[in-house]
mmCIF file of all heavy atoms in Angstrom:
data_model
loop_
_atom_site.group_PDB
_atom_site.id
_atom_site.type_symbol
_atom_site.label_atom_id
_atom_site.label_comp_id
_atom_site.label_asym_id
_atom_site.label_seq_id
_atom_site.Cartn_x
_atom_site.Cartn_y
_atom_site.Cartn_z
ATOM 1 N N ASP A 1 99.010 77.906 90.027
ATOM 2 C CA ASP A 1 99.642 76.698 89.503
ATOM 3 C C ASP A 1 101.148 76.870 89.329
ATOM 4 O O ASP A 1 101.923 75.946 89.588
ATOM 5 C CB ASP A 1 98.986 76.236 88.197
ATOM 6 C CG ASP A 1 98.877 77.332 87.143
ATOM 7 O OD1 ASP A 1 99.348 78.462 87.385
ATOM 8 O OD2 ASP A 1 98.295 77.059 86.063
ATOM 9 N N LEU A 2 101.576 78.064 88.928
ATOM 10 C CA LEU A 2 103.013 78.313 88.774
ATOM 11 C C LEU A 2 103.710 78.408 90.126
ATOM 12 O O LEU A 2 104.804 77.876 90.322
ATOM 13 C CB LEU A 2 103.226 79.619 88.001
ATOM 14 C CG LEU A 2 103.614 79.507 86.525
ATOM 15 C CD1 LEU A 2 103.828 80.880 85.929
ATOM 16 C CD2 LEU A 2 104.870 78.660 86.358
ATOM 17 N N TYR A 3 103.075 79.103 91.055
ATOM 18 C CA TYR A 3 103.624 79.201 92.413
ATOM 19 C C TYR A 3 103.780 77.797 92.996
ATOM 20 O O TYR A 3 104.807 77.465 93.609
ATOM 21 C CB TYR A 3 102.686 80.049 93.273
ATOM 22 C CG TYR A 3 103.182 80.332 94.677
ATOM 23 C CD1 TYR A 3 103.909 81.489 94.963
ATOM 24 C CD2 TYR A 3 102.909 79.457 95.728
ATOM 25 C CE1 TYR A 3 104.357 81.756 96.251
ATOM 26 C CE2 TYR A 3 103.342 79.721 97.011
ATOM 27 C CZ TYR A 3 104.067 80.865 97.278
ATOM 28 O OH TYR A 3 104.501 81.138 98.559
ATOM 29 N N LEU A 4 102.766 76.966 92.783
ATOM 30 C CA LEU A 4 102.811 75.604 93.302
ATOM 31 C C LEU A 4 103.891 74.781 92.618
ATOM 32 O O LEU A 4 104.475 73.886 93.227
ATOM 33 C CB LEU A 4 101.447 74.934 93.138
ATOM 34 C CG LEU A 4 101.286 73.597 93.859
ATOM 35 C CD1 LEU A 4 101.337 73.791 95.370
ATOM 36 C CD2 LEU A 4 99.985 72.917 93.461
ATOM 37 N N GLU A 5 104.166 75.083 91.356
ATOM 38 C CA GLU A 5 105.236 74.371 90.654
ATOM 39 C C GLU A 5 106.584 74.657 91.311
ATOM 40 O O GLU A 5 107.450 73.777 91.399
ATOM 41 C CB GLU A 5 105.264 74.768 89.184
ATOM 42 C CG GLU A 5 105.939 73.772 88.268
ATOM 43 C CD GLU A 5 105.223 72.429 88.193
ATOM 44 O OE1 GLU A 5 103.988 72.400 88.060
ATOM 45 O OE2 GLU A 5 105.927 71.392 88.284
ATOM 46 N N ILE A 6 106.764 75.881 91.784
ATOM 47 C CA ILE A 6 107.995 76.214 92.520
ATOM 48 C C ILE A 6 108.057 75.409 93.811
ATOM 49 O O ILE A 6 109.106 74.850 94.167
ATOM 50 C CB ILE A 6 108.059 77.732 92.811
ATOM 51 C CG1 ILE A 6 108.127 78.518 91.503
ATOM 52 C CG2 ILE A 6 109.266 78.057 93.696
ATOM 53 C CD1 ILE A 6 108.050 80.032 91.676
ATOM 54 N N VAL A 7 106.927 75.336 94.525
ATOM 55 C CA VAL A 7 106.864 74.525 95.748
ATOM 56 C C VAL A 7 107.217 73.073 95.431
ATOM 57 O O VAL A 7 108.000 72.432 96.152
ATOM 58 C CB VAL A 7 105.461 74.600 96.384
ATOM 59 C CG1 VAL A 7 105.354 73.638 97.569
ATOM 60 C CG2 VAL A 7 105.146 76.021 96.840
ATOM 61 N N ALA A 8 106.636 72.541 94.343
ATOM 62 C CA ALA A 8 106.885 71.150 93.966
ATOM 63 C C ALA A 8 108.361 70.905 93.666
ATOM 64 O O ALA A 8 108.915 69.852 94.024
ATOM 65 C CB ALA A 8 106.031 70.781 92.752
ATOM 66 N N LEU A 9 109.004 71.857 93.024
ATOM 67 C CA LEU A 9 110.430 71.719 92.728
ATOM 68 C C LEU A 9 111.271 71.777 94.004
ATOM 69 O O LEU A 9 112.244 71.033 94.139
ATOM 70 C CB LEU A 9 110.859 72.811 91.747
ATOM 71 C CG LEU A 9 110.377 72.595 90.300
ATOM 72 C CD1 LEU A 9 110.506 73.879 89.487
ATOM 73 C CD2 LEU A 9 111.152 71.460 89.639
ATOM 74 N N GLU A 10 110.884 72.649 94.927
ATOM 75 C CA GLU A 10 111.585 72.694 96.224
ATOM 76 C C GLU A 10 111.454 71.341 96.927
ATOM 77 O O GLU A 10 112.432 70.809 97.470
ATOM 78 C CB GLU A 10 111.010 73.805 97.106
ATOM 79 C CG GLU A 10 111.200 75.227 96.580
ATOM 80 C CD GLU A 10 112.617 75.764 96.732
ATOM 81 O OE1 GLU A 10 113.537 74.989 97.063
ATOM 82 O OE2 GLU A 10 112.810 76.981 96.498
ATOM 83 N N ASN A 11 110.248 70.784 96.904
ATOM 84 C CA ASN A 11 110.045 69.467 97.517
ATOM 85 C C ASN A 11 110.866 68.395 96.821
ATOM 86 O O ASN A 11 111.510 67.560 97.465
ATOM 87 C CB ASN A 11 108.562 69.096 97.456
ATOM 88 C CG ASN A 11 107.795 69.513 98.694
ATOM 89 O OD1 ASN A 11 108.345 69.596 99.794
ATOM 90 N ND2 ASN A 11 106.507 69.769 98.533
ATOM 91 N N ALA A 12 110.843 68.408 95.491
ATOM 92 C CA ALA A 12 111.549 67.383 94.725
ATOM 93 C C ALA A 12 113.058 67.437 94.964
ATOM 94 O O ALA A 12 113.741 66.408 94.922
ATOM 95 C CB ALA A 12 111.251 67.538 93.238
ATOM 96 N N LEU A 13 113.563 68.629 95.233
ATOM 97 C CA LEU A 13 114.995 68.805 95.470
ATOM 98 C C LEU A 13 115.367 68.656 96.942
ATOM 99 O O LEU A 13 116.516 68.869 97.332
ATOM 100 C CB LEU A 13 115.444 70.168 94.938
ATOM 101 C CG LEU A 13 115.423 70.293 93.410
ATOM 102 C CD1 LEU A 13 115.554 71.741 92.965
ATOM 103 C CD2 LEU A 13 116.533 69.439 92.789
ATOM 104 N N GLY A 14 114.372 68.314 97.778
ATOM 105 C CA GLY A 14 114.646 68.077 99.196
ATOM 106 C C GLY A 14 114.624 69.310 100.066
ATOM 107 O O GLY A 14 115.011 69.251 101.243
ATOM 108 N N ASN A 15 114.170 70.431 99.516
ATOM 109 C CA ASN A 15 114.102 71.675 100.300
ATOM 110 C C ASN A 15 112.730 71.774 100.976
ATOM 111 O O ASN A 15 111.926 72.662 100.682
ATOM 112 C CB ASN A 15 114.348 72.878 99.382
ATOM 113 C CG ASN A 15 115.657 72.770 98.628
ATOM 114 O OD1 ASN A 15 116.640 72.237 99.143
ATOM 115 N ND2 ASN A 15 115.676 73.244 97.400
ATOM 116 N N TYR A 16 112.470 70.843 101.880
ATOM 117 C CA TYR A 16 111.121 70.692 102.439
ATOM 118 C C TYR A 16 110.705 71.870 103.314
ATOM 119 O O TYR A 16 109.543 72.272 103.298
ATOM 120 C CB TYR A 16 111.027 69.390 103.233
ATOM 121 C CG TYR A 16 111.455 68.188 102.445
ATOM 122 C CD1 TYR A 16 112.526 67.387 102.864
ATOM 123 C CD2 TYR A 16 110.806 67.835 101.262
ATOM 124 C CE1 TYR A 16 112.929 66.289 102.137
ATOM 125 C CE2 TYR A 16 111.206 66.729 100.521
ATOM 126 C CZ TYR A 16 112.274 65.959 100.966
ATOM 127 O OH TYR A 16 112.672 64.882 100.238
ATOM 128 N N GLN A 17 111.634 72.426 104.070
ATOM 129 C CA GLN A 17 111.273 73.550 104.935
ATOM 130 C C GLN A 17 110.914 74.776 104.103
ATOM 131 O O GLN A 17 109.975 75.506 104.428
ATOM 132 C CB GLN A 17 112.424 73.883 105.888
ATOM 133 C CG GLN A 17 112.062 74.904 106.967
ATOM 134 C CD GLN A 17 110.924 74.441 107.867
ATOM 135 O OE1 GLN A 17 110.956 73.336 108.404
ATOM 136 N NE2 GLN A 17 109.907 75.282 108.032
ATOM 137 N N GLU A 18 111.648 74.993 103.019
ATOM 138 C CA GLU A 18 111.327 76.109 102.123
ATOM 139 C C GLU A 18 109.948 75.908 101.503
ATOM 140 O O GLU A 18 109.145 76.844 101.410
ATOM 141 C CB GLU A 18 112.380 76.220 101.024
ATOM 142 C CG GLU A 18 112.116 77.314 99.995
ATOM 143 C CD GLU A 18 112.094 78.721 100.578
ATOM 144 O OE1 GLU A 18 112.704 78.933 101.661
ATOM 145 O OE2 GLU A 18 111.459 79.601 99.967
ATOM 146 N N ALA A 19 109.662 74.674 101.088
ATOM 147 C CA ALA A 19 108.343 74.365 100.526
ATOM 148 C C ALA A 19 107.249 74.607 101.563
ATOM 149 O O ALA A 19 106.203 75.188 101.254
ATOM 150 C CB ALA A 19 108.309 72.920 100.044
ATOM 151 N N LYS A 20 107.489 74.170 102.782
ATOM 152 C CA LYS A 20 106.517 74.354 103.868
ATOM 153 C C LYS A 20 106.263 75.838 104.121
ATOM 154 O O LYS A 20 105.115 76.276 104.299
ATOM 155 C CB LYS A 20 107.024 73.668 105.140
ATOM 156 C CG LYS A 20 106.086 73.741 106.341
ATOM 157 C CD LYS A 20 106.653 72.887 107.479
ATOM 158 C CE LYS A 20 105.782 72.955 108.718
ATOM 159 N NZ LYS A 20 105.870 74.258 109.410
ATOM 160 N N ASN A 21 107.322 76.624 104.133
ATOM 161 C CA ASN A 21 107.182 78.072 104.355
ATOM 162 C C ASN A 21 106.377 78.720 103.232
ATOM 163 O O ASN A 21 105.535 79.595 103.477
ATOM 164 C CB ASN A 21 108.559 78.732 104.445
ATOM 165 C CG ASN A 21 109.339 78.288 105.679
ATOM 166 O OD1 ASN A 21 108.768 77.752 106.626
ATOM 167 N ND2 ASN A 21 110.645 78.484 105.664
ATOM 168 N N MET A 22 106.653 78.306 102.003
ATOM 169 C CA MET A 22 105.912 78.864 100.868
ATOM 170 C C MET A 22 104.435 78.492 100.926
ATOM 171 O O MET A 22 103.560 79.301 100.609
ATOM 172 C CB MET A 22 106.525 78.369 99.548
ATOM 173 C CG MET A 22 107.867 78.984 99.208
ATOM 174 S SD MET A 22 108.451 78.461 97.573
ATOM 175 C CE MET A 22 107.257 79.289 96.507
ATOM 176 N N MET A 23 104.137 77.275 101.342
ATOM 177 C CA MET A 23 102.744 76.846 101.447
ATOM 178 C C MET A 23 101.994 77.673 102.493
ATOM 179 O O MET A 23 100.812 77.984 102.328
ATOM 180 C CB MET A 23 102.680 75.362 101.846
ATOM 181 C CG MET A 23 103.205 74.401 100.813
ATOM 182 S SD MET A 23 102.240 74.341 99.288
ATOM 183 C CE MET A 23 100.671 73.726 99.853
ATOM 184 N N ALA A 24 102.690 78.023 103.557
ATOM 185 C CA ALA A 24 102.040 78.711 104.679
ATOM 186 C C ALA A 24 101.709 80.165 104.364
ATOM 187 O O ALA A 24 100.842 80.758 105.024
ATOM 188 C CB ALA A 24 102.929 78.628 105.920
ATOM 189 N N THR A 25 102.374 80.752 103.383
ATOM 190 C CA THR A 25 102.218 82.190 103.134
ATOM 191 C C THR A 25 101.387 82.512 101.900
ATOM 192 O O THR A 25 101.349 83.667 101.460
ATOM 193 C CB THR A 25 103.599 82.852 102.981
ATOM 194 O OG1 THR A 25 104.331 82.208 101.921
ATOM 195 C CG2 THR A 25 104.404 82.741 104.275
ATOM 196 N N ARG A 26 100.696 81.526 101.354
ATOM 197 C CA ARG A 26 99.927 81.725 100.117
ATOM 198 C C ARG A 26 98.474 81.322 100.318
ATOM 199 O O ARG A 26 98.193 80.273 100.892
ATOM 200 C CB ARG A 26 100.524 80.859 99.004
ATOM 201 C CG ARG A 26 99.747 80.875 97.674
ATOM 202 C CD ARG A 26 100.213 81.964 96.792
ATOM 203 N NE ARG A 26 99.614 81.918 95.463
ATOM 204 C CZ ARG A 26 99.974 82.720 94.469
ATOM 205 N NH1 ARG A 26 100.940 83.590 94.652
ATOM 206 N NH2 ARG A 26 99.369 82.659 93.298
ATOM 207 N N GLN A 27 97.554 82.161 99.846
ATOM 208 C CA GLN A 27 96.151 81.771 99.794
ATOM 209 C C GLN A 27 95.876 81.189 98.415
ATOM 210 O O GLN A 27 95.905 81.895 97.414
ATOM 211 C CB GLN A 27 95.231 82.966 100.040
ATOM 212 C CG GLN A 27 93.741 82.657 99.892
ATOM 213 C CD GLN A 27 93.250 81.608 100.881
ATOM 214 O OE1 GLN A 27 93.345 81.790 102.091
ATOM 215 N NE2 GLN A 27 92.727 80.495 100.366
ATOM 216 N N PHE A 28 95.643 79.884 98.367
ATOM 217 C CA PHE A 28 95.374 79.209 97.102
ATOM 218 C C PHE A 28 93.879 79.229 96.804
ATOM 219 O O PHE A 28 93.052 79.361 97.707
ATOM 220 C CB PHE A 28 95.867 77.762 97.154
ATOM 221 C CG PHE A 28 97.358 77.624 97.215
ATOM 222 C CD1 PHE A 28 98.014 77.528 98.441
ATOM 223 C CD2 PHE A 28 98.116 77.588 96.053
ATOM 224 C CE1 PHE A 28 99.397 77.403 98.502
ATOM 225 C CE2 PHE A 28 99.500 77.467 96.104
ATOM 226 C CZ PHE A 28 100.138 77.373 97.331
ATOM 227 N N HIS A 29 93.568 79.089 95.525
ATOM 228 C CA HIS A 29 92.181 79.078 95.080
ATOM 229 C C HIS A 29 91.970 77.847 94.202
ATOM 230 O O HIS A 29 92.852 77.474 93.431
ATOM 231 C CB HIS A 29 91.856 80.344 94.282
ATOM 232 C CG HIS A 29 92.236 81.603 94.995
ATOM 233 N ND1 HIS A 29 93.526 82.119 94.948
ATOM 234 C CD2 HIS A 29 91.526 82.430 95.797
ATOM 235 C CE1 HIS A 29 93.583 83.212 95.686
ATOM 236 N NE2 HIS A 29 92.386 83.422 96.214
ATOM 237 N N PRO A 30 90.811 77.206 94.276
ATOM 238 C CA PRO A 30 90.572 76.018 93.444
ATOM 239 C C PRO A 30 90.638 76.365 91.962
ATOM 240 O O PRO A 30 90.230 77.449 91.555
ATOM 241 C CB PRO A 30 89.140 75.603 93.840
ATOM 242 C CG PRO A 30 88.881 76.260 95.157
ATOM 243 C CD PRO A 30 89.666 77.538 95.137
ATOM 244 N N TRP A 31 91.163 75.440 91.160
ATOM 245 C CA TRP A 31 91.134 75.634 89.705
ATOM 246 C C TRP A 31 90.944 74.274 89.037
ATOM 247 O O TRP A 31 91.316 73.237 89.580
ATOM 248 C CB TRP A 31 92.401 76.333 89.206
ATOM 249 C CG TRP A 31 93.662 75.524 89.168
ATOM 250 C CD1 TRP A 31 94.141 74.763 88.144
ATOM 251 C CD2 TRP A 31 94.654 75.406 90.216
ATOM 252 N NE1 TRP A 31 95.340 74.194 88.473
ATOM 253 C CE2 TRP A 31 95.684 74.565 89.730
ATOM 254 C CE3 TRP A 31 94.769 75.954 91.505
ATOM 255 C CZ2 TRP A 31 96.799 74.241 90.490
ATOM 256 C CZ3 TRP A 31 95.874 75.629 92.266
ATOM 257 C CH2 TRP A 31 96.879 74.774 91.757
ATOM 258 N N GLU A 32 90.320 74.318 87.872
ATOM 259 C CA GLU A 32 90.037 73.095 87.116
ATOM 260 C C GLU A 32 91.344 72.396 86.753
ATOM 261 O O GLU A 32 92.250 73.006 86.172
ATOM 262 C CB GLU A 32 89.261 73.419 85.838
ATOM 263 C CG GLU A 32 88.914 72.206 84.986
ATOM 264 C CD GLU A 32 87.906 71.277 85.631
ATOM 265 O OE1 GLU A 32 87.117 71.756 86.483
ATOM 266 O OE2 GLU A 32 87.898 70.079 85.300
ATOM 267 N N GLY A 33 91.446 71.144 87.117
ATOM 268 C CA GLY A 33 92.669 70.391 86.880
ATOM 269 C C GLY A 33 93.658 70.472 88.024
ATOM 270 O O GLY A 33 94.690 69.807 88.008
#
């Protein structure tokens, strides 16, 4: 959730390629909420 918050901030600030790169290099796991 914290890693994703960094991605969300990159997206919100218009750093879409950085967000895309971060998404591609992380194995996420389901969590409640």
Side-chain angles (χ1 to χ4, degrees):
D1 52 2
L2 257 182
Y3 185 93
L4 190 66
E5 202 64 45
I6 297 174
V7 174
L9 286 164
E10 296 285 11
N11 268 331
L13 291 166
N15 305 326
Y16 306 120
Q17 189 60 51
E18 178 62 23
K20 182 174 178 288
N21 294 343
M22 288 185 68
M23 293 294 296
T25 57
R26 175 89 173 186
Q27 175 61 59
F28 292 93
H29 308 84
W31 74 90
E32 180 68 25

